Amino acid sequence: MDVILTGDRPTGRLHLGHYVGSLKRRVEMQNSGKYHNIYVMIADAQALTDNADDINKVRNNISEVALDYMACGLDPKKTTIFIQSQIPELCELSFYYMNLVTVSRLQRNPTVKNEIQLRGFKQSIPVGFFTYPISQASDITAFKANLIPVGEDQLPMIEQAREIVRSFNTLYKKVLVEPTAVLPENSYCSRLPGLDGAAKMSKSLGNCIYLADSANDIKKKVQSMFTDPTHLHVEDPGHIENNPVFTYLDAFCRDEHFQAFLPAYQNLDELKAHYQRGGLGDGTVKKFLNEILQNELKPIRERREELAKDIGEIFAQLKKGSENARKVAAQTLHEVKGAMGIDYFGDSSLL
Ligand code: ATP
Ligand code: MG
């Protein structure tokens, strides 16, 4: 009985990195009908750990993220979509899990280290931000989720959650389930770089193509993408390594795209070989990438525009999802407190 949990921070609209890294997979998992339960969380409380001074950003992006989910095919009838802050049981779990983790263990988390640097926190790291891997363990364990579809940056979080589960189950009683990360099959998808090629595509870095971007914005962004800086003239040999245009092609391109948009080549290997040999301009490759992205994103954008006409309905679905999720988290918290022996009033051995 596999249970899935994933989520996103409502710090902006969702982008191509989310789509290939996690969202597409979630929709496939949902539609396969093979999973007992699927939970998708809008992680607003986690978003506040580095946006406490910008509540409106987080507030306003709740419905944006929900629209992105549903436009991509997540269906609230099949998937429990909920808002993290509406489940207070998650905070309680975190409070107990905090005792199972050392400060030095948190300091070693490579993703947190990297994010601290990217956000320029230096010594002023909010405590909530520093401890968010623990709160993520609460999110996962509250639903007894065993499969967590994520991008590569989340692997240290899942490892941290596994350690917490093992400590808890050993110290108290075996009530928690150890989660496993599920990475995209295509390794280019597990860490899609930004348009600048410098870091991963990330809402906080503003280097994204968003699922809701207009056709014109997508075109402009693709045209402005970083490529191989040594490929100055068409005839120069080009590099495909660390060239985000080719990474995006690796993530999105299928052979049939060549027949449809660039019939001079059979497949991506041929295109890459030509670029590496020299004689293929960046403009041609970008034009091809643009066609592929337009083709993939158009139906999503159109569904999104339809759904956006009734935001009341989106919030009604989120409310229902949050109520259902809360019941499950409350049951787990009850078991956790029982295992720890702190459910005093329901414990007959104390009377
Ligand atoms: P923020 O900058 O606010 O942290 P983000 O763009 O990193 O936002 P998250 O909400 O933190 O997005 O991540 C949600 C999920 O999407 C995670 O599973 C994460 O691994 C995945 N993800 C995020 N960015 C990428 C990316 N560039 N490539 C692949 N997966 C990604
Ligand atoms: Mg992130």
Side-chain angles (χ1 to χ4, degrees), residues 286-301:
K286 284 182 172 176
K287 191 159 170 276
F288 179 50
L289 175 63
N290 177 56
E291 298 281 8
I292 295 173
L293 294 181
Q294 298 287 358
N295 184 55
E296 185 98 13
L297 296 181
K298 185 166 183 260
I300 296 176
R301 184 171 58 240

Side-chain angles (χ1 to χ4, degrees), residues 9 115 119 153-154 200 202:
R9 296 153 37 97
E115 290 178 338
R119 284 161 177 69
D153 62 309
Q154 292 300 308
K200 91 175 177 84
S202 158

Side-chain angles (χ1 to χ4, degrees), residues 50-274:
D50 55 334
N51 290 284
D53 57 349
D54 201 355
I55 294 278
N56 275 332
K57 173 160 110 185
V58 175
R59 256 172 74 84
N60 296 336
N61 277 306
I62 301 244
S63 54
E64 297 290 343
V65 170
L67 283 171
D68 285 326
Y69 284 165
M70 293 181 201
C72 286
L74 281 183
D75 176 355
K77 289 194 194 71
K78 298 182 188 156
T79 294
T80 307
I81 305 177
F82 68 98
I83 307 178
Q84 187 184 26
S85 63
Q86 304 308 299
I87 322 287
E89 287 76 8
L90 299 176
C91 303
E92 251 186 280
L93 287 174
S94 295
F95 200 64
Y96 301 126
Y97 295 168
M98 280 187 187
N99 304 327
L100 307 177
V101 180
T102 64
V103 172
S104 67
R105 175 65 184 86
L106 285 175
Q107 277 167 336
R108 277 203 311 275
N109 186 310
T111 299
V112 175
K113 263 198 215 164
N114 184 31
E115 290 178 338
I116 286 171
Q117 208 190 3
L118 286 175
R119 284 161 177 69
F121 284 145
K122 300 206 167 72
Q123 294 309 308
S124 317
I125 307 161
V127 173
F129 185 81
F130 184 62
T131 58
Y132 92 74
I134 300 177
S135 111
Q136 225 165 293
S138 307
D139 306 332
I140 294 169
T141 55
F143 300 94
K144 301 202 172 160
N146 61 327
L147 298 179
I148 320 293
V150 282
E152 202 179 55
D153 62 309
Q154 292 300 308
L155 290 179
M157 307 303 161
I158 310 300
E159 188 48 41
Q160 177 76 78
R162 291 166 66 87
E163 286 173 29
I164 290 175
V165 168
R166 288 197 287 264
S167 301
F168 186 97
N169 286 348
T170 314
L171 261 178
Y172 306 115
K173 211 169 126 193
K174 195 171 178 314
V175 294
L176 301 180
V177 175
E178 234 180 275
T180 308
V182 184
L183 285 181
E185 274 150 27
N186 175 339
S187 64
Y188 302 104
C189 297
S190 54
R191 185 183 181 279
L192 198 74
L195 295 168
D196 50 5
K200 91 175 177 84
M201 186 176 282
S202 158
K203 295 180 226 109
S204 305
L205 298 177
N207 57 3
C208 310
I209 292 180
Y210 294 97
L211 298 178
D213 274 348
S214 68
N216 200 29
D217 282 344
I218 297 169
K219 190 168 164 207
K220 277 198 279 190
K221 287 183 180 180
V222 171
Q223 275 166 353
S224 74
M225 275 179 79
F226 175 84
T227 59
D228 172 12
T230 67
H231 186 238
L232 297 175
H233 308 287
V234 172
E235 58 276 14
D236 291 341
H239 295 86
I240 55 168
E241 303 79 22
N242 303 320
N243 182 337
V245 177
F246 278 93
T247 313
Y248 289 15
L249 286 175
D250 276 318
F252 286 95
C253 176
R254 297 187 298 272
D255 288 354
E256 61 260 32
H257 289 135
F258 284 94
Q259 287 140 34
F261 308 125
L262 197 58
Y265 304 86
Q266 297 272 333
N267 54 42
L268 192 52
D269 288 338
E270 278 187 23
L271 187 78
K272 284 180 176 173
H274 192 183

